[in-house]
Amino acid sequence: MRVFGFLTVYWRDMLRYFRFRTQLFSSLLQPALWLAFFGIAMAANFDRIMMGDTGALPGVPSVGYFTFMAAGVIAMNVLFTNLFGGFILLFDKNWGLMREMLASPMPRRDIIFGLCLSGVTKSSFQATVIIVIGLLLGVAFFVGKTAVEVAGSLVGIFAFIAVFAIGFLSLSTAIALVTESPEGFQGVTTLLTMPVFFASNALYPTDAFPEALQWLVAVNPLTYLVTGIRHFAIGDHFTAIGVEYLTTTGDIALAFGALLVFAVVTFALAWRTVERAVIT
Amino acid sequence: MDDAIIRVDGLRHRYGDFAAVDGISFTIGRGEIFSFLGPNGAGKSTAINVLTTLLRIQEGTVKIAGHDLASDPQAVREDIGIVFQEDTLDRDLTVAETLEFHGRLYGLPRAERAARIAELLELVELTGWAKVRTKRLSGGMKRRLEIARGLMTRPVVLFLDEPTIGLDPQTRLRMWDYLQAVNREGTTIFLTTHYMDEADRLSDRVAIIDHGKIIAEGTPLSLKNALGEDIIMLCTGDDRAAEAVIRGMEGITGVKKDPAGLTLLVAGDGTHVLPVVMHRLEEEGITVISVNLKKPSMDDVFVHFTGRKLRDNSAGEGH
Ligand SMILES: Nc1ncnc2c1ncn2[C@@H]1O[C@H](COP(=O)(O)OP(=O)(O)OP(=O)(O)O)[C@@H](O)[C@H]1O
Ligand SMILES: [Mg+2]
């Protein structure tokens, strides 16, 4: 009978999500601004650097930087939403409902389940908005695909986003449960943001990175999410800013598998942490 | 069949080296209202937090509704409800949402949730505030909401940590009535308080707790009777001399001197003892400045067992 406890946690988190209009609005506007300013500005830069040479290969579609980085902006937004998404637990622990939840008969893992579900919802919602805004601004996603193919691609994109969201949201809740202050939480998550975001293929190709950094890129979940989004949104074989991107079905399965492993590990960590949580 | 719904044996809880709960044992019978009466820092909340599984049990054994606290905290959680001492509301949820969340958390069916919420909002007089976010409530209104939340479910045992703190007198009375009604429906109630009248009026049994230890336990009446039937408060021209005269007089079971005067514990009927005392003092040439005869209150019980006044922790000390 206590199977759906996570829906209670989810319900409440969604209430809060849609209650703070300014926060909701800015969380949607921010990626749009990234696209509009960083995307368009950098696209111009890259075009100048490449001096008209798009590095296109015969027979392989070539996409502009703007389209290339749009996938990265979606991934970045999903990353930030979920990496900070555990904050509510810190808030609850210090000023809110944590005691009520911990003393209730709801299994404690449902706290994590519920927040994960809400992270997936928020991420999907935000990704949808970014995709729509991006398409309006001229992002070349889903070029030459039929409606059915687009639907298939979206399923792929959202599956990647969901697993990635669960992974980082779990990590975030675990951090929130062990840190004591908002400052501490902010400190740890911000520290994580840097390597995850910059040692990835979100905004630029990583081929020319030094080896140590290459290694970091290879274990970075964000890399796998971006790869997945590009595969489904742009295609399995394209060139962008002079680099060839080729992803086989096997590559994508591997990327998805890597994200699954990441999500399972962090979920287990969060579960363990919440089971041991005591109020202080 | 075991009558005891809560059985605590040798419970000790340390924060670092400091034992906030220092080896307490007690049992609470099914259907009882039991209170912990003690001053700030006595260890009441620590004990409640352990019993409600919020703090991991360190030492001792606890059984609640037949479940062992250490090995099966989940089963314990199924059977308890709790009103916390601290403010534990989400400031951005409305009053109604706060209760709805709680009802869902405990798996109450939708219809029952709606009915309970309406009934409880009525009880705590927050019906008109249902759609208001909790951050806009006054302190007392928040307290009422927290109590209402604790009453949403009908647990086997309901824990209340200083439930009526900050409530006005009428509201307190109404809360007491309601708690008694809930209790009559079969819920065992364990509350902590530092209000004498609350412990006295509400509970079947009281444990006085200080420095993490239970120093007295019994029904309010038996605790008061331990002090004798009546108490005489006396202020004389020479308390020291008066004490010497009175000590050992027939019918007087105890004399205590403090700066405010003498307190005499009377075994029998004080109205008969008082004239005798007055007469003796007059014989000894000791002037009596004031005299007061009363039944022992929980205040007196507390002073008797702990050697200090409960309310005087901050204000009264030092003179
Ligand atoms: N997390 C903690 N870490 C260290 N010491 C603590 C902690 N919580 C409580 N204490 C100490 O334990 C003792 C008992 O505290 P507790 O909160 O149980 O008292 P209480 O009886 O509930 O008091 P009050 O009437 O003020 O609520 C106090 O001396 C307090 O300082
Ligand atoms: Mg307390």
Side-chain angles (χ1 to χ4, degrees):
Chain A
M1 85 161 269
R2 302 235 181 261
V3 180
F4 298 110
F6 68 94
L7 288 179
T8 303
V9 176
Y10 175 69
W11 170 74
R12 180 255 183 160
D13 206 49
M14 283 292 118
L15 270 185
R16 291 181 60 98
Y17 181 62
F18 288 107
R19 177 147 301 167
F20 303 116
R21 293 288 150 74
T22 338
Q23 203 171 313
L24 177 60
F25 190 65
S26 66
S27 76
L28 293 174
L29 198 64
Q30 202 195 355
L33 291 180
W34 264 86
L35 273 180
F37 290 104
F38 188 81
I40 290 168
M42 285 307 277
N45 264 332
F46 276 111
D47 288 346
R48 193 167 52 85
I49 294 164
M50 311 288 297
M51 294 198 293
D53 172 16
T54 56
L57 301 170
V60 178
S62 161
V63 299
Y65 180 71
F66 193 44
T67 299
F68 177 82
M69 68 87 73
V73 170
I74 296 173
M76 172 178 80
N77 186 262
V78 177
L79 170 69
F80 289 164
T81 299
N82 294 288
L83 193 53
F84 300 120
F87 185 74
I88 181 71
L89 279 193
L90 185 75
F91 180 82
D92 279 344
K93 196 169 70 168
N94 291 352
W95 303 285
L97 306 179
M98 195 63 162
R99 283 162 182 266
E100 184 190 5
M101 290 193 284
L102 289 185
S104 83
M106 179 183 73
R108 291 182 172 188
R109 62 170 182 273
D110 281 359
I111 297 176
I112 311 294
F113 266 132
L115 288 180
C116 280
L117 188 59
S118 115
V120 170
T121 309
K122 291 176 194 174
S123 304
S124 309
F125 178 60
Q126 285 164 205
T128 307
V129 173
I130 302 170
I131 290 173
V132 170
I133 293 178
L135 290 174
L136 292 177
L137 290 176
V139 167
F141 276 179
F142 314 122
V143 173
K145 294 196 179 193
T146 65
V148 176
E149 283 167 341
V150 170
S153 296
L154 286 174
V155 169
I157 291 173
F158 287 116
F160 266 78
I161 288 178
V163 177
F164 180 89
I166 290 171
F168 271 97
L169 202 109
S170 301
L171 186 63
S172 178
T173 54
I175 296 169
L177 285 168
V178 296
T179 46
E180 305 227 313
S181 67
E183 292 76 16
F185 178 82
Q186 288 287 351
V188 176
T189 47
T190 310
L191 215 60
L192 270 174
T193 310
M194 294 293 167
V196 172
F197 186 53
F198 290 109
S200 83
N201 55 356
L203 295 184
Y204 32 70
T206 53
D207 308 58
F209 277 14
E211 198 174 332
L213 218 49
Q214 291 275 10
W215 184 83
L216 200 56
V217 171
V219 296
N220 187 348
L222 191 65
T223 303
Y224 296 107
L225 174 63
V226 174
T227 302
I229 295 177
R230 287 204 180 117
H231 175 86
F232 288 111
I234 303 175
D236 56 3
H237 193 190
F238 62 92
T239 61
I241 36 179
V243 179
E244 183 185 6
Y245 287 85
L246 176 63
T247 41
T248 63
T249 312
D251 292 338
I252 287 305
L254 202 68
F256 193 71
L259 286 182
L260 270 180
V261 170
F262 170 66
V264 167
V265 169
T266 55
F267 187 88
L269 175 73
W271 185 350
R272 209 175 96 114
T273 314
V274 79
E275 285 294 346
R276 296 177 171 202
V278 292
I279 50 94
T280 44
Chain B
M1 175 76 208
D2 193 357
D3 275 359
I5 201 85
I6 298 186
R7 218 171 248 293
V8 176
D9 198 21
L11 184 68
R12 180 170 284 118
H13 197 90
R14 291 195 175 87
Y15 299 111
D17 287 340
F18 171 70
V21 173
D22 199 5
I24 58 175
S25 306
F26 58 93
T27 56
I28 303 180
R30 191 177 288 273
E32 263 193 313
I33 301 184
F34 182 87
S35 352
F36 262 4
L37 175 65
N40 290 140
K44 304 182 297 294
S45 295
T46 303
I48 268 205
N49 287 338
V50 173
L51 296 189
T52 55
T53 77
L54 288 173
L55 287 174
R56 195 175 295 276
I57 181 166
Q58 295 174 345
E59 211 184 310
T61 56
V62 175
K63 272 198 174 237
I64 297 180
H67 312 294
D68 184 68
L69 188 72
S71 61
D72 202 356
Q74 181 61 32
V76 170
R77 283 179 214 129
E78 297 275 351
D79 283 337
I80 62 171
I82 175 161
V83 174
F84 302 98
Q85 179 177 0
E86 300 82 4
D87 188 348
T88 56
L89 299 172
D90 181 337
R91 20 184 301 119
D92 297 306
L93 293 188
T94 67
V95 167
E97 284 162 359
T98 301
L99 297 178
E100 173 72 15
F101 178 76
H102 194 78
R104 289 182 184 215
L105 209 51
Y106 282 75
L108 289 190
R110 178 185 294 271
E112 202 177 328
R113 280 201 309 262
R116 274 281 154 74
I117 291 174
E119 177 200 346
L120 287 167
L121 286 179
E122 198 70 42
L123 171 81
V124 299
E125 297 186 322
L126 287 175
T127 306
W129 294 78
K131 293 203 164 68
V132 172
R133 292 194 210 177
T134 64
K135 66 174 154 203
R136 290 189 40 211
L137 303 184
S138 75
M141 288 157 91
K142 283 186 193 154
R143 200 66 205 139
R144 270 142 56 189
L145 177 58
E146 297 227 19
I147 296 179
R149 182 170 71 181
L151 296 170
M152 279 286 290
T153 59
R154 286 294 141 87
V156 180
V157 186
L158 180 60
F159 292 88
L160 303 111
D161 198 356
E162 310 205 5
T164 62
I165 206 152
L167 295 185
D168 60 53
Q170 296 105 294
T171 313
R172 286 179 76 206
L173 285 176
R174 225 182 25 256
M175 291 304 138
W176 290 352
D177 284 345
Y178 197 81
L179 285 179
Q180 280 172 325
V182 168
N183 175 248
R184 273 194 299 276
E185 284 176 32
T187 295
T188 303
I189 293 180
F190 182 168
L191 65 106
T192 75
T193 182
H194 50 221
Y195 294 121
M196 301 293 171
D197 52 344
E198 188 158 88
D200 198 357
R201 273 275 312 267
L202 209 52
S203 15
D204 298 312
R205 262 175 339 115
V206 178
I208 294 178
I209 175 167
D210 197 16
H211 298 302
K213 293 195 164 77
I214 292 179
I215 45 184
E217 195 201 311
T219 64
L221 192 65
S222 72
L223 285 174
K224 285 185 281 191
N225 283 345
L227 272 67
E229 238 170 73
D230 285 321
I231 285 184
I232 297 171
M233 317 273 264
L234 205 55
C235 196
T236 67
D238 184 351
D239 283 345
R240 190 185 300 271
E243 186 185 4
V245 170
I246 296 164
R247 204 175 278 284
M249 276 180 66
E250 201 178 331
I252 305 286
T253 55
V255 183
K256 223 171 18 233
K257 190 167 91 60
D258 62 35
L262 296 173
T263 306
L264 319 184
L265 306 182
V266 182
D269 183 353
T271 54
H272 293 292
V273 177
L274 183 55
V276 182
V277 171
M278 298 295 281
H279 185 67
R280 273 303 307 271
L281 291 176
E282 200 172 319
E283 276 178 5
E284 297 292 330
I286 297 168
T287 50
V288 174
I289 298 167
S290 71
V291 64
N292 184 11
L293 172 72
K294 61 170 195 169
K295 293 276 170 200
S297 66
M298 283 304 276
D299 262 304
D300 303 313
V301 173
F302 195 82
V303 174
H304 179 74
F305 284 109
T306 66
R308 57 195 167 111
K309 274 195 157 68
L310 192 53
R311 315 303 279 135
D312 280 2
N313 277 341
S314 49
E317 247 160 19
H319 65 101

